[in-house]
Amino acid sequence: MENNRKYERFEDFGRIECFDICPFPGTLNDISQTGMKVTFNSFVTIEMEEEYKVTVRIPKCYFSAIELVVTPVWAYEHNGTYQIGFSILHSAGATYLAEYLRNLQHEKEAELEDTEIFA
């Protein structure tokens, strides 16, 4: 499948809290400047046309939490596990997210340079 995304997605691990969707935190699977994929391991209540405030907690991030406003783009359920793709809307936390993603990009570029040195 061809990836036509404008912004690079980074596989990352974190916790997503949104009690309007699920009483338990979800797990961040990947994230970009404009979207993210989240897995919830229990029942979710979601309206596809709604906007939700979510709290993103990523262990590698030096911000304790990033508050974002998101809207669901797609949702998929399989055996009681729910994966949801969110579009990130304009929100104050987007600035912090952009800085975090720049750091991830720099780490990735440094790893590639190290790989090229040893290749």
Side-chain angles (χ1 to χ4, degrees), residues 20-45:
D20 290 336
I21 295 175
C22 184
F24 305 104
T27 304
L28 177 69
N29 300 114
D30 65 38
I31 192 163
S32 76
Q33 189 63 43
T34 58
M36 64 181 155
K37 180 170 71 171
V38 178
T39 300
F40 291 94
N41 290 316
S42 61
F43 183 76
V44 301
T45 303

Side-chain angles (χ1 to χ4, degrees), residues 51-97:
E51 293 181 3
Y52 295 94
K53 290 183 181 179
V54 299
T55 301
V56 181
R57 299 182 191 280
I58 304 171
K60 296 188 308 186
C61 185
Y62 52 85
F63 302 109
S64 61
I66 300 173
E67 304 288 332
L68 298 171
V69 177
V70 300
T71 188
V73 178
W74 57 265
Y76 175 74
E77 184 271 332
H78 181 70
N79 293 332
T81 298
Y82 298 81
Q83 284 193 330
I84 304 172
F86 290 102
S87 176
I88 299 171
L89 304 177
H90 181 71
S91 48
T95 302
Y96 303 117
L97 176 61

